[in-house]
Amino acid sequence: MSGRPHEASARACANIALAKYWGKSDVKRNLPAVPSISMTLDQLVTETRVRFDPSLDADNVRLDGRRASTEEAARVVAMLDRVRRQARLQTRARVSSHNHFPTAAGLASSASGFAALAAAASAAAGLRQSARRLSALARASSASAARSIFGGFVELPAGKRGDADLAARQLAPPGHWNLRLIVAQTATGPKKVGSTEGMERSRKTSPYYTTWIGQAPKWARTIKRAIKDRDLDALGLAMEQSTLAFHCCAITSTPSIVYWAPQTLTALDTVRGLRERGVSAWATMDAGPHVKTLCDASDAARVRQALDRTAGVTRTWVTKPGPGVEVHS
Ligand code: ADP
């Protein structure tokens, strides 16, 4: 790299796990213990700019217009170090990232955040990475970020111990299926237990963890087939089972991790009520209290209205299958 700064920007969307990811087979390499399947979400966007600048003595990280905390900066610097190693580069970087939705609140900011960072840092360092390589790079920071490199419907296989190159792959492009995901925000502020810590606690203490690891691939297979066949009822049923099984692991950990709030159950009840009235609407929750409801585009207005009227729902977003990561130099 010459003496002048090199910079690039990237834009990535968060994703919703339809087949849930919970548990690592290798914590050091950040490998998931179960296969997961997701839909990339067009409305939940992160934009990140990286500038390698020879005049800097240390990396400088800003997140949502403020200086990143020590912990946040450390995760970003770890990714920059991986990129620097690949590019044989010493130069420090200035990173500025904006999540256009709440950070660390169970809406997968880490997925879009590390996908955008992997792409922007690689481009700024002059690395020409395939989508697969970018996905493996993003996965080292956050397994769900590996999926956000791709648009549409995406699979991340389970990783075997020591597998350095595990990456996600696209199952179908965004136009494959005109689904909507209605995100109902039921609380504000960061989640109580971060996902990495929660997964490790489940692995070490939940009596249901082994059952979860044994059952999760079956739901992933059903969901993969349902995506191929565009079968929303089959997808929704397996997604709800996968969701409840992973929350079962979290709830039965010691100390217990309950990501739900009372209003989470109220919103779940709304979704069940819609189904009783013939709407194919299916709910999922990640490591947070928000309820995300999958339905056909033709039902989205009705589902949103029902959730907007639900006590404790503070905001809704309607999102559809979105694009993979985009880089602008
Ligand atoms: P979430 O549900 O939002 O993914 P997590 O606790 O799993 O919550 O991850 C949030 C963490 O991811 C943040 O505390 C921060 O360390 C990191 N993060 C979020 N957004 C970004 C971003 N745009 N750039 C870099 N790191 C980010």
Side-chain angles (χ1 to χ4, degrees):
M1 177 177 276
S2 67
R4 70 187 167 80
H6 287 235
E7 54 188 296
S9 299
R11 178 186 189 279
C13 300
N15 66 76
I16 181 77
L18 307 169
K20 295 298 181 187
Y21 158 49
W22 193 251
K24 296 179 197 279
S25 56
D26 184 332
V27 174
K28 195 161 158 276
R29 289 193 187 269
N30 201 34
L31 295 168
V34 294
S36 56
I37 296 178
S38 61
M39 183 171 104
T40 304
L41 303 174
D42 73 329
Q43 293 293 309
L44 303 186
V45 173
T46 296
E47 286 178 299
T48 299
R49 181 148 202 86
V50 175
R51 176 184 162 98
F52 286 100
D53 186 341
S55 72
L56 292 175
D57 295 328
D59 292 317
N60 178 308
V61 183
R62 294 187 71 77
L63 187 52
D64 294 330
R66 58 169 171 83
R67 204 183 168 81
S69 70
T70 309
E71 212 178 22
E72 289 165 340
R75 287 185 76 178
V76 170
V77 170
M79 166 73 82
L80 293 172
D81 284 342
R82 279 192 286 274
V83 170
R84 277 189 282 254
R85 268 197 300 278
Q86 284 185 25
R88 299 177 202 282
L89 187 70
Q90 306 290 328
T91 318
R92 304 291 115 182
R94 207 178 282 285
V95 176
S96 171
S97 184
H98 286 272
N99 297 322
H100 297 275
F101 61 98
T103 298
L107 296 174
S109 66
S110 49
S112 49
F114 287 106
L117 180 64
S122 296
L127 289 173
R128 285 177 171 272
Q129 307 261 47
S130 65
R132 196 177 189 290
R133 293 283 303 261
L134 272 184
S135 176
L137 180 63
R139 194 261 310 140
S141 290
S142 155
S144 55
R147 300 189 307 248
S148 275
I149 295 295
F150 299 96
F153 300 85
V154 183
E155 172 182 47
L156 178 64
K160 291 186 196 67
R161 188 165 279 280
D163 181 358
D165 298 322
L166 185 77
R169 69 182 190 93
Q170 189 184 55
L171 295 174
H176 169 71
W177 197 357
N178 202 13
L179 290 180
R180 294 292 180 273
L181 185 90
I182 291 84
V183 179
Q185 188 180 47
T186 57
T188 50
K191 60 175 100 162
K192 292 189 200 93
V193 182
S195 306
T196 302
E197 186 192 335
M199 287 179 197
E200 275 305 279
R201 199 187 294 175
S202 288
R203 185 177 67 79
K204 288 180 185 151
T205 66
S206 170
Y208 295 101
Y209 185 78
T210 318
T211 307
W212 157 250
I213 299 294
Q215 296 294 310
K218 176 186 72 179
W219 292 310
R221 280 196 300 275
T222 304
I223 287 169
K224 199 166 159 178
R225 201 176 324 117
I227 290 169
K228 188 164 170 282
D229 298 343
R230 299 189 189 86
D231 182 342
L232 182 53
D233 289 352
L235 167 51
L237 189 62
M239 178 181 77
E240 287 199 351
Q241 287 171 330
S242 170
T243 302
L244 295 173
F246 122 64
H247 279 282
C248 172
C249 278
I251 290 168
T252 52
S253 300
T254 308
S256 178
I257 310 162
V258 183
Y259 284 118
W260 300 347
Q263 50 273 29
T264 308
L265 293 179
T266 313
L268 264 184
D269 205 43
T270 296
V271 177
R272 296 219 171 113
L274 282 162
R275 258 196 334 259
E276 277 160 18
R277 293 197 296 283
V279 181
S280 184
W282 302 90
T284 185
M285 290 82 65
D286 294 293
H290 315 297
V291 174
K292 295 121 182 200
T293 305
L294 198 62
C295 64
D296 192 78
S298 59
D299 289 322
R302 186 168 172 197
V303 172
R304 182 185 205 172
Q305 192 182 53
L307 286 165
D308 276 333
R309 285 182 184 154
T310 300
V313 171
T314 49
R315 189 177 167 185
T316 53
W317 289 263
V318 178
T319 81
K320 61 177 193 286
V325 72
E326 290 160 12
V327 176
H328 313 278
S329 290

